[in-house]
Amino acid sequence: MKFLVLGATGMAGHTISLYLYAQGHDVTTYSRSAFSCGNNITGDITDTNFLKSLILDHDYDVVVNCIGVLNDACETDREKSVYLNSYLPHAIESLLKNSNTKLIHLSTDCVFSGKAAPYHEKSLRDGETFYDRTKGLGEIESTQHLTFRNSIIGPDLKEDGIGLFNWFMKQQNTIRGYTGAIWTGVTTLTLAKAIERATLEGTTGLYHLVNNSSISKYDLLQLFNTHFKENKSTIQPYPLVNIDKTLVNTRKDFSFTVPSYEEMILETKNWIWQHKDLYPHYFK
């Protein structure tokens, strides 16, 4: 299969690119800075002519969109955030209208506020922040394409990455674990595997990629501590932050099974050890 992965140096994008490449697929990557996996293309994706050429010139089977502007950066540059989070997915969908290429777009549980959990695929997008709303507007619901809605954790190529796992690995002292912050998500490696399976099975529409069980951020950090730091970190339970954006999967038309949280963490540990050269900041 021929894949184009957009945003290939990000937390999700680099794992997806490397996994698909390792599985023997023909992988082209797009990123703002050079990336060594597959055939890498750099350029300005806000340039209409560049975007059209990028999407249409190579007859891909699947375009995986991992591009997104996150949280605080959304507030800093609202124009760019609306373009990349909201407009770009629909622009790609429009370009693919008369082709057989499938778009797999990555969305987030942040399209929801957390005030009415649990949320299923048809729940009202009630996210309140600017980021929440831009991501909600960017979701693609189509019988040709697929939107995976989930939250992700995983290793980052950049030492200053803002993900939870990256943050945890940098901590040296006692940290707080939010017992009231409830999470349903997947690792980036599980996401990569689901993308491959969805491509093979032809899965489309809007899909909650979750295992239908939830975990607190406190317990999630405890799993990180057990499997990455031999329980040497001290994690104090902190009950004063309460947020629940639990996602529930109601669809039965996709054979992929999301593993348990511990299984996903162990798979991620193996992945990091197999790619130590990519993550030197985790081995200091």
Side-chain angles (χ1 to χ4, degrees):
M1 304 286 282
K2 290 183 67 175
F3 286 87
L4 169 64
V5 181
L6 306 177
T9 57
M11 187 174 74
H14 85 274
T15 302
I16 292 166
S17 301
L18 290 165
Y19 176 79
L20 293 173
Y21 186 79
Q23 296 305 112
H25 297 290
D26 182 341
V27 178
T28 297
T29 56
Y30 163 77
S31 52
R32 287 179 297 173
S33 56
F35 184 50
S36 59
C37 179
N39 173 38
N40 182 237
I41 299 171
T42 59
D44 180 6
I45 205 163
T46 65
D47 181 292
T48 303
N49 291 326
F50 175 79
L51 175 63
K52 185 175 181 180
S53 173
L54 179 65
I55 299 298
L56 297 180
D57 283 359
H58 301 284
D59 194 26
Y60 300 107
D61 295 302
V62 181
V63 175
V64 183
N65 181 31
C66 306
I67 292 175
V69 182
L70 300 176
N71 303 317
D72 293 344
C74 264
E75 296 292 345
T76 303
D77 191 339
R78 292 194 166 202
E79 180 181 1
K80 180 180 178 182
S81 301
V82 169
Y83 183 91
L84 294 178
N85 289 355
S86 305
Y87 171 77
L88 180 62
H90 295 283
I92 296 170
E93 180 188 26
S94 181
L95 288 170
L96 296 177
K97 190 185 313 182
N98 297 315
S99 78
N100 293 320
T101 304
K102 178 178 186 172
L103 169 64
I104 298 181
H105 173 65
L106 305 186
S107 189
T108 170
D109 61 355
C110 287
V111 302
F112 300 119
S113 68
K115 293 181 177 179
Y119 298 97
H120 54 76
E121 286 88 353
K122 296 187 182 299
S123 294
L124 177 69
R125 303 176 185 92
D126 65 347
E128 298 175 341
T129 71
F130 191 75
Y131 170 67
D132 299 350
R133 295 195 296 271
T134 63
K135 290 298 292 184
L137 285 170
E139 291 190 331
I140 304 296
E141 297 190 55
S142 164
T143 56
Q144 178 182 350
H145 308 296
L146 171 65
T147 293
F148 271 141
R149 187 190 278 157
N150 50 252
S151 180
I152 56 174
I153 53 172
D156 203 304
L157 293 175
K158 304 167 187 174
E159 188 171 3
D160 61 351
I162 65 171
L164 179 67
F165 176 76
N166 214 50
W167 172 83
F168 172 79
M169 293 298 287
K170 291 188 291 185
Q171 303 309 303
Q172 301 296 327
N173 302 313
T174 298
I175 59 176
R176 290 173 171 175
Y178 297 161
T179 55
I182 306 304
W183 189 76
T184 48
V186 296
T187 60
T188 50
L189 181 56
T190 296
L191 175 59
K193 293 178 179 181
I195 286 170
E196 182 185 37
R197 180 77 62 83
T199 298
L200 297 173
E201 295 188 9
T203 308
T204 62
L206 177 63
Y207 191 93
H208 281 185
L209 187 66
V210 294
N211 62 13
N212 280 351
S213 65
S214 59
I215 188 171
S216 72
K217 291 291 181 70
Y218 172 78
D219 289 330
L220 187 59
L221 290 177
Q222 293 286 16
L223 287 176
F224 291 166
N225 195 23
T226 297
H227 296 295
F228 287 94
K229 292 192 176 181
E230 299 178 332
N231 290 317
K232 293 178 180 176
S233 289
T234 300
I235 305 172
Q236 292 182 339
Y238 187 75
L240 300 184
V241 173
N242 293 284
I243 186 160
D244 183 356
K245 297 184 181 182
T246 294
L247 300 182
V248 174
N249 175 273
T250 62
R251 292 178 53 175
K252 307 300 180 186
D253 56 343
F254 181 36
S255 72
F256 186 83
T257 299
V258 175
S260 70
Y261 295 111
E262 186 159 31
E263 288 177 278
M264 287 191 281
I265 297 303
L266 284 168
E267 288 178 348
T268 296
K269 181 179 181 179
N270 291 334
W271 170 273
I272 291 172
W273 276 93
Q274 290 166 7
H275 300 84
K276 290 180 68 173
D277 57 317
L278 296 177
Y279 312 112
H281 40 293
Y282 299 145
F283 295 93
K284 290 181 178 179

